[in-house]
Amino acid sequence: MTLHTDFARAAKAAEAMYDLPPFGNVSLLHMTDCHAQLLPIYFREPSVNLGIGDMLGNAPHLVGERLLKHFGLQPGSIEAHAFSYLNFTEAAKTYGKVGGFAHLSTLVKKMKASRPGALLLDGGDTWQGSGTALWTNAQDMVDACKLLGVDVMTLHWESTYGADRVKEIEEKDFAGQIDIVAQNVKTTDFEDPVFKPYVIKNINGVPVAIVGQAFPYTPIANPRWQTPDWSFGIRDDEMQQAVDAARAEGAQVVVVLSHNGMDVDLKMASRVTGIDAIFGGHTHDGMPAPTVVQNPGGKTLVTNAGSNGKFLGVMDFDVKNGKVVDFRYKLLPVFANLLPADAGMAAFIDKVRAPFIEKLSEKLAVSEGLLYRRGNFNGSWDQLIVDALIAEMDADIAFSPGFRWGTTILPGDTITMEHLLDQTAITYPWTTLTEMSGETIKTILEDVADNLFNPDPYYQQGGDMVRVGGMQYSFNPTAAMGKRVDNMMLHGKRIEANKVYKVAGWAPVSEEARDSGPAVWDVVARYLRGQKVVRQITPNMPKLVGMDGNPGIA
Amino acid sequence: LITPGMAQAAWNKAAFDAKNMESALGAIGAGKPADSADVQITAPDIAENGAVVPVGVVSNLPNTEYVAIMVEKNPAMLAASFEIPAGTVADVQTRIKMGQTSDVFAVVKADGKFYMTKKEVKVTLGGCGG
Amino acid sequence: MASPMRIRAAAKEGVTEVRVLMSHPMETGQRKDSSGNPIPAHHITELTAKHNDKVVLSAQFGPSVSTNPYLAFKFQGGAKGDKVVVSWVDNKGESRTDEVQVS
Ligand SMILES: [Mn+2]
Ligand SMILES: [Mn+2]
């Protein structure tokens, strides 16, 4: 590693960054959406994260310079690199990779040492996102979280291992060590609770309740057949009841460990009273400071802690006379080069990866350009996937789901099987080839668009727009449901409502589509082996209408 | 078993067969119910499963004697109706099928007059996520 | 003969909450089988719930009610050990009656 001057400066700054002065008497550490990334990775933050309606111009719908300005971050600083996409490639070369459980572990230990009694909360999307998590049926992440010292967690993608597996982990692996909390998961018959709604932990003599909120739309965004007897939903009435019950039980601090997504958390914070802070995830927004939400009962802090193991949130509360009187919050970026690897965690990771190393290390192709996923419409990684599906499956058009996980590859780097699995490793990876009318294609795009851009956050599901290959379209986020997508074109010709097109896709959620075709990683790997070199990719973006001046697009 | 002497109305075929809201409301004798904030409908914003959508109706109107649940865009609009005898709380919940995004109506009869309220429930194709 | 209903009845602060899960296909009459023949409608039409012989709820169902219907309601009164009896009939004239003790 060259000791670049920027890096030398960063290393100095790091000491200050990670020597966070303790404050108050109750500390909570928060990680979320690591998507099973045990090793350090690159992760580029989005350059498109549009907010419309009440969300326009507010966190988290700010990108690039507008984000830096909003949070008072210095352009060109290590923090600017951590929180924004700006100057990504060059800065990534300077500062190196982020995350990795061995480095995260060092940071967690450092924070716990300076903050006795601090708990580590895990917001979910922890067991899914890598080849090893998939092949070990989540066991590598379950064991890694125990070793990391997670105290309480909630769920989203965890459920895609199936209800039985989740309960097995809760009852066996986690027994006596990690609590799964989720007030909004009920049985589909009599609506009995599936998990504890909350736990109360004593931190330095202060009873602290952690209420769980699993991802409300799990059975819609992911296959319902994986959790057929569980119902989710937002259930803010029941959230209020849980908060009140925790207070009645003596909790002096009540926080929600949420996988709602940030816009939903902001709305929930405005409606439910008595919550001191919501620690949020799902939408992968790395927010340097909490949003303070007013509600009839007072104020609630809403945070969101990014993704892929890149950040650790540190919340310090000063609790006096039975209530929170002040706080300090910092979302610390985890720079692998600035935090030495924890030896125990590093040894565990080596061991758990050993049986799979050969498969993971297969070199598929060299990428000439930057490959990333995150952004409302399309990323270069997704463009590569839809290009591969069209070529390998002889399709006219290809769709790739608007997932927000998936790591970044720098220009000139080799794409390995592991990198490809970082984009695709799910328990329902099947490809589909479907004949669809132009009308059906529009219906699908409109449906997903409303899940992303409905002006009421409770109608949003928190992913990004389905990635589209082969066809072009125009898009107006502020238009009504059914009217956002227009000018659909294929090879220079208008897509006709009644004409039939061959559409490739993957990750089908319907039970009928189980085993519909080969796994997406096999199809894309075949394509990459044939290409050997992937040229610079310009993602196919819709022509946006009405978004001039929106601070959520660079 | 359903026995005579319960003073229960026969199954309202005309209402269950109605093909638009107007005739469904007509068949239950509701005419054009007034909107009322004292009638509350609970249903998910987005249905997890269009085949099983939980819907609840609470009426805070005194002497509520009848509650009906209607789905505007279902082929059979009237889903269910309930007779509320004195001593029973006007608070019922059931689960209904919905083929597509639609307004769901709660229609209530209290003191001989009809009132209603509605909520949109979205039925989505699903997929994707963060 | 249809499977038994699952009924829960619980009294709390002077109000008894009854929750019922019926076992019924609730076939709409709008679907076709694999060979394209229409599947005839088959759904519960009427339901009655009684507390110690007093009717506490009567309901009419159409085909839009979900398969294996769920019903929850509340009545005033009711004490531990009281009997709650629920009956339904369907459009084919089949019927079912089950009961539970208030807990
Ligand atoms: Mn996630
Ligand atoms: Mn998620």
Side-chain angles (χ1 to χ4, degrees):
Chain A
M1 185 179 63
T2 39
L3 264 184
H4 197 283
T5 48
D6 282 352
F7 181 78
R9 215 181 305 131
K12 265 215 174 111
E15 264 173 56
M17 182 161 68
Y18 296 130
D19 275 336
L20 196 62
F23 175 81
N25 51 348
V26 169
S27 294
L28 297 167
L29 311 177
H30 177 224
M31 57 177 268
T32 194
D33 294 84
C34 77
H35 286 282
Q37 295 302 320
L38 286 174
L39 294 182
I41 46 92
Y42 294 109
F43 187 81
R44 175 193 179 274
E45 298 298 331
S47 50
V48 187
N49 189 7
L50 293 165
I52 58 148
D54 296 343
M55 294 155 266
L56 172 70
N58 293 323
H61 300 284
L62 299 158
V63 300
E65 273 135 23
R66 299 298 292 266
L67 181 136
L68 300 189
K69 196 157 173 252
H70 181 88
F71 290 106
L73 302 178
Q74 202 60 40
S77 68
I78 187 167
E79 289 199 311
H81 171 55
F83 289 104
S84 80
Y85 77 93
L86 295 167
N87 194 24
F88 182 78
T89 300
E90 203 184 313
K93 284 178 183 158
T94 299
Y95 298 118
K97 292 182 176 179
V98 292
F101 263 49
H103 308 275
L104 179 62
S105 182
T106 298
L107 183 56
V108 167
K109 283 181 177 171
K110 190 173 164 65
M111 289 301 127
K112 283 193 167 178
S114 58
R115 290 160 168 76
L119 297 181
L120 176 58
L121 312 182
D122 172 6
D125 282 359
T126 307
W127 306 350
Q128 174 278 338
S130 71
T132 56
L134 183 71
W135 296 329
T136 62
N137 202 16
Q139 196 65 47
D140 66 334
M141 296 311 299
V142 167
D143 293 337
C145 286
K146 288 168 72 177
L147 198 55
L148 186 66
V150 170
D151 294 289
V152 185
M153 87 174 289
T154 195
L155 310 170
H156 169 196
W157 274 91
E158 286 69 19
S159 297
T160 63
Y161 288 96
D164 291 348
R165 178 66 176 141
V166 176
K167 286 309 268 185
E168 179 188 37
I169 290 166
E170 182 194 31
E171 285 157 16
K172 293 189 183 145
D173 299 83
F174 282 1
Q177 192 172 347
I178 301 178
D179 293 299
I180 297 180
V181 287
Q183 71 85 20
N184 61 330
V185 185
K186 311 269 177 158
T187 58
T188 51
D189 54 6
F190 282 112
E191 300 184 6
D192 294 323
V194 176
F195 302 99
K196 289 184 280 266
Y198 59 86
V199 288
I200 296 183
K201 305 271 182 181
N202 191 305
I203 303 179
N204 302 321
V206 178
V208 178
I210 299 112
V211 186
Q213 175 82 353
F215 176 49
Y217 293 125
T218 303
I220 305 169
N222 306 102
R224 192 172 57 237
W225 54 262
Q226 294 173 327
T227 49
D229 302 326
W230 294 358
S231 172
F232 294 69
I234 294 176
R235 302 179 192 264
D236 49 14
D237 289 348
E238 282 146 289
M239 174 61 78
Q240 185 67 67
Q241 286 167 23
V243 171
D244 294 348
R247 292 269 179 205
E249 239 183 276
Q252 294 176 11
V253 179
V254 176
V255 301
V256 174
L257 180 60
S258 163
H259 206 96
N260 273 333
M262 187 151 174
D263 290 324
V264 177
D265 281 335
L266 291 170
K267 180 171 172 183
M268 183 173 265
S270 74
R271 290 160 63 95
V272 178
T273 59
I275 301 170
D276 293 300
I278 299 180
F279 294 100
H282 182 59
T283 38
H284 296 193
D285 302 304
M287 293 292 107
T291 298
V292 184
V293 178
Q294 294 278 354
N295 59 51
K299 287 176 189 170
T300 299
L301 306 171
V302 175
T303 73
N304 208 278
S307 70
N308 287 277
K310 188 175 170 181
F311 298 103
L312 179 72
V314 182
M315 178 69 85
D316 298 326
F317 287 119
D318 191 18
V319 184
K320 278 190 189 130
N321 303 321
K323 60 178 192 180
V324 175
V325 293
D326 202 359
F327 76 95
R328 298 285 184 274
Y329 179 78
K330 190 94 183 165
L331 187 60
L332 291 172
V334 180
F335 281 102
N337 290 338
L338 302 177
L339 290 159
D342 176 81
M345 185 65 86
F348 165 78
I349 294 170
D350 281 348
K351 192 176 123 230
V352 82
R353 289 171 53 83
F356 309 109
I357 284 291
E358 198 178 329
K359 215 167 155 183
L360 293 169
S361 319
E362 187 198 349
K363 294 181 164 123
L364 298 173
V366 172
S367 177
E368 289 191 345
L370 180 73
L371 293 180
Y372 64 92
R373 169 172 277 169
R374 185 74 179 84
N376 282 163
F377 295 98
N378 204 350
S380 43
W381 238 125
D382 284 308
Q383 188 63 47
L384 177 56
I385 290 171
V386 291
D387 288 350
L389 294 181
I390 290 173
E392 295 291 320
M393 299 171 75
D394 193 22
D396 301 312
I397 294 167
F399 288 160
S400 187
F403 296 140
R404 291 188 171 195
W405 40 271
T407 61
T408 302
I409 290 179
L410 297 189
D413 281 358
T414 298
I415 307 169
T416 63
M417 193 65 188
E418 178 156 33
H419 290 129
L420 176 55
L421 287 161
D422 285 350
Q423 308 293 325
T424 56
I426 62 173
T427 56
Y428 51 104
W430 311 295
T431 46
T432 56
L433 187 62
T434 316
E435 300 219 316
M436 289 184 194
S437 68
E439 191 181 358
T440 302
I441 293 168
K442 177 159 158 62
T443 301
I444 291 171
L445 294 180
E446 293 282 4
D447 189 81
V448 182
D450 198 59
N451 291 335
L452 180 56
F453 290 111
N454 193 297
D456 181 344
Y458 278 17
Y459 288 89
Q460 296 174 9
Q461 291 169 26
D464 279 313
M465 186 66 188
V466 57
R467 281 51 178 132
V468 180
M471 75 165 242
Q472 284 75 47
Y473 62 104
S474 65
F475 191 84
N476 182 350
T478 58
M481 166 83 180
K483 304 229 181 313
R484 293 185 177 95
V485 176
D486 203 359
N487 302 307
M488 291 165 39
M489 306 286 286
L490 180 66
H491 307 310
K493 279 195 208 137
R494 207 165 254 280
I495 289 191
E496 293 168 42
N498 297 321
K499 206 177 152 191
V500 166
Y501 302 87
K502 278 198 290 182
V503 182
W506 64 285
V509 292
S510 78
E511 184 151 26
E512 302 80 69
R514 284 176 83 158
D515 293 311
S516 53
V520 63
W521 51 78
D522 287 333
V523 176
V524 179
R526 193 167 65 218
Y527 174 81
L528 289 173
R529 288 183 200 111
Q531 295 283 304
K532 293 188 176 65
V533 173
V534 175
R535 304 278 170 219
Q536 177 96 32
I537 290 173
T538 307
N540 173 31
M541 293 282 284
K543 187 177 178 299
L544 289 176
V545 181
M547 290 296 111
D548 291 347
N550 190 306
I553 185 165
Chain B
L1 214 69
I2 312 287
T3 55
M6 280 183 182
Q8 177 176 307
W11 192 68
N12 192 339
K13 188 171 188 310
F16 284 106
D17 285 350
K19 293 284 174 270
N20 60 57
M21 281 298 287
E22 208 180 350
S23 53
L25 287 167
I28 62 169
K32 281 189 180 155
D35 288 329
S36 172
D38 290 319
V39 181
Q40 284 148 19
I41 184 164
T42 53
D45 297 320
I46 307 180
E48 285 182 14
N49 178 356
V52 192
V53 182
V55 178
V57 180
V58 174
S59 168
N60 296 317
L61 296 162
N63 305 319
T64 296
E65 61 204 73
Y66 174 90
V67 171
I69 295 169
M70 295 189 183
V71 184
E72 187 170 16
K73 296 208 175 138
N74 268 12
M77 262 157 217
L78 177 59
S81 66
F82 307 88
E83 307 274 344
I84 315 286
T88 291
V89 186
D91 178 349
V92 293
Q93 294 164 47
T94 186
R95 296 171 187 161
I96 61 170
K97 296 168 194 153
M98 290 182 65
Q100 57 179 307
T101 299
S102 172
D103 279 336
V104 180
F105 289 81
V107 183
V108 156
K109 187 181 183 188
D111 263 343
K113 281 189 187 156
F114 282 91
Y115 304 88
M116 70 176 192
T117 192
K118 66 175 179 179
K119 171 171 173 56
E120 186 182 47
V121 175
K122 207 169 120 178
V123 179
T124 156
L125 302 170
C128 91
Chain C
M1 175 110 176
S3 308
M5 286 176 249
R6 294 165 63 197
I7 311 174
R8 292 186 187 177
K12 196 181 160 192
E13 289 160 12
V15 174
T16 299
E17 181 175 21
V18 182
R19 297 191 288 162
V20 189
L21 271 167
M22 295 151 245
S23 173
H24 201 284
M26 298 301 284
E27 196 56 62
T28 59
Q30 309 228 343
R31 299 197 312 144
K32 293 196 165 97
D33 66 17
S34 50
S35 42
N37 301 313
I39 304 172
H42 184 203
H43 59 86
I44 292 174
T45 51
E46 286 161 271
L47 174 141
T48 303
K50 288 198 266 189
H51 165 234
N52 294 345
D53 297 329
K54 177 188 182 282
V55 174
V56 284
L57 190 80
S58 52
Q60 299 189 1
F61 284 180
S64 285
V65 171
S66 300
T67 302
N68 300 330
Y70 174 79
L71 172 67
F73 67 96
K74 294 169 183 164
F75 64 87
Q76 276 151 14
K80 208 174 152 120
D82 285 1
K83 212 159 62 165
V84 170
V85 182
V86 182
S87 308
W88 55 252
V89 292
D90 70 18
N91 64 327
K92 292 186 177 174
E94 291 165 21
S95 65
R96 171 102 218 166
T97 296
D98 291 285
E99 63 177 61
V100 73
Q101 284 191 350
V102 176
S103 65

